[in-house]
Amino acid sequence: MSPRIPGDDVLTEALIIGAGPTGLMAAVTLVQYGVPCRIIDRKSVRTNVGHASGLQPRTQEILKTLELLDGLNKTGNRMSEGSFWAHNESHQLARIKIGPEVTNATPFPYVLVTDQGNVEAAFESKLMLKGYQVDRLMELVHYEYDMTPDTIWPVTAYIRNHSSGVIEVWRTKYLLGCDGAGSLVRHVEGVPWHFQGGSEIWAVADVWAETDFPDIRRHSTVWSPHGSCMLMPNRDNGFRVYTQLTLDEVNSLNAIGYANFTRPLFPENNSTLLYDILQARIRSILAPFTIRFTKVAWISRYGVHQGIANHFSSRLHHVFLLGDACHTHSPFTVQGMNPGIADAYNLTWKLALVIKGHATLALLDTYRTERQYIADEIIRHNIRCTLYFPQPDACDGPESESLARKSFDIMSGCGQRYLESVLVQFSMRARIDQAAVEPLTPGKRLHTMTLTRHVDGTVVDLLEQMPSTGQFHLILFAGKLLQHPILQGLCNYLASSDSPLSVFVADSPFSDPVSHQREFDPTNAGGGNRFLDLYLIHSSNHLEVELGQMSGIFDSSKIFEDVGGVGHATHGVHEMDGIMTLVRPDGYITMVTNFDNGPGVMQCLKSFMVFAPSASSPSTLVAEPSNPPHGQSSTDLI
């Protein structure tokens, strides 16, 4: 080991290992929530070509709340339709199904195909605007725990600085392993890996081609006696092609010492065995259609050991695994960077609350239970589809339709549902129409809706009105009940000192993490300091209802008309019922209940938030300080 660098150790609240999309997403959101962090990567530059390429609808919804999606839209191609091809009873290649790529209700009914490098660049630009950057040519060598009773920095990481050659010592409260399938963090932690399915070696390339295959601009999956392939259209009339290599082909490549190509490869002056194998394979699969590659921007092979780690975090919750470090998936799932981005989005708001002393360890437990369940569901569903769909009649009948619906739910991310926990209360004290397009369902993400802002008549999308700030959202579906006593009773409760709006208050605004602390008035509807952001959605004509008639607890910019009650109906809410839903900072529904159950919302939040009486006001509770008392153990710290 090289000598240690002289001087003080580096101290940071959170240390992120790996600056791919997962690690960068973790850094962006932690910074967004006001948590100082550092992110390192052993590479000198970010990804330039190839690698993961598709953003599923749910990922796009998430990026929209971070103001990152619009820029990425300019770099990508919208993959809106998909087709399945196989040999029919006459042993001819035929299209057996064609349809939309996404059927779930979402403002983004397509996969946005854009290079991983574009996504990384967008994240890095966001970090730079906040004064952060990736520490490159820095590699984790090892880490260990410091469990002395009064430690503030329970994890000590040894980082090799490849520029200077020395080993630096970094101390942190939380270490996030976003370092890929060969994760050193997972290795040091000693987490076992559970394989599901066999090992696969895939060839992948971004190409342009001359072809008469009719679905070259659709997401096409093709099965034939010669193998299978998947085609994904890129921008500028190019496309990405995947195919699984045979054992003989892998052995041939290994025999000549072939390694992955990461530089542009042009077939007119660079002939390689992998290129020859790939083009020959695609030609045989697509026959009788013809195809000739004219240009290759990137070509590689990689191994996929589809599987999942036994644990996503250390026992004491100081170390977490995210993305490929804890689960890997077949290319046929079209998941790529999506699960890792979702992992980070799930974890970081919880971590921010715990680091600031506002939440209990029960909150961190939910990262493992929620994300491990989803990763396992993706893998199991892929195995089932892989066994079923290559059959000639696989796209016919009720089983096919059931599998297709499940595929859309899981792969798009829009239909995924978390398990019951302190953050998800399956039991609902409310009448919800389950036949609705997107019925309010605890554990699922809140589907957006088009609304008219009451104060000025501007038509807005609810998703854009709920940016990622780390706050919970309490949404009141009031329908035609604006003048009803039940709404007035709820408003009276929410305005009281015992309500979540008064009790769950931070010591500085959520909307501006670097602002100076300022005194908070619970009657101030702006609520920048609240853990709970309040929205009122009604279906009365906003031109006939004066804002002055409504309770002062509402921020006028967060009162909306749902014209014609369309949004209510979409979510299965009857306009005369009065329903409120508690939505987590990551957009997933915690609970659905009636207007008469305000104390139930309070009880739910108390199950994982940590509060202590305020010295200035016995009836009001404030969050505990972010630094633990002297002598508190590191196990309590987390």
Side-chain angles (χ1 to χ4, degrees), residues 236-251:
D236 304 323
N237 292 318
F239 62 94
R240 174 164 291 189
V241 56
Y242 296 87
T243 191
Q244 188 175 341
L245 298 174
T246 67
L247 181 60
D248 287 343
E249 290 166 341
V250 172
N251 289 336

Side-chain angles (χ1 to χ4, degrees), residues 481-544:
L481 302 178
L482 285 183
Q483 308 303 321
H484 198 282
I486 193 171
L487 177 60
Q488 186 58 52
L490 175 61
C491 290
N492 290 340
Y493 169 75
L494 292 176
S496 73
S497 61
D498 296 325
S499 88
L501 298 186
S502 300
V503 172
F504 294 92
V505 179
D507 56 4
S508 60
F510 273 79
S511 55
D512 184 7
V514 298
S515 293
H516 296 294
Q517 295 183 8
R518 60 176 182 240
E519 185 178 353
F520 175 74
D521 178 2
T523 64
N524 172 17
N529 298 58
R530 293 175 179 164
F531 286 93
L532 200 59
D533 211 6
L534 184 63
Y535 297 77
L536 176 64
I537 301 174
H538 64 82
S539 55
S540 298
N541 187 334
H542 75 282
L543 296 176
E544 298 176 0

Side-chain angles (χ1 to χ4, degrees), residues 106-126:
T106 173
F108 312 110
Y110 49 81
V111 174
L112 180 63
V113 181
T114 185
D115 286 345
Q116 177 175 321
N118 294 328
V119 177
E120 293 179 9
F123 282 137
E124 288 198 56
S125 296
K126 184 83 169 179

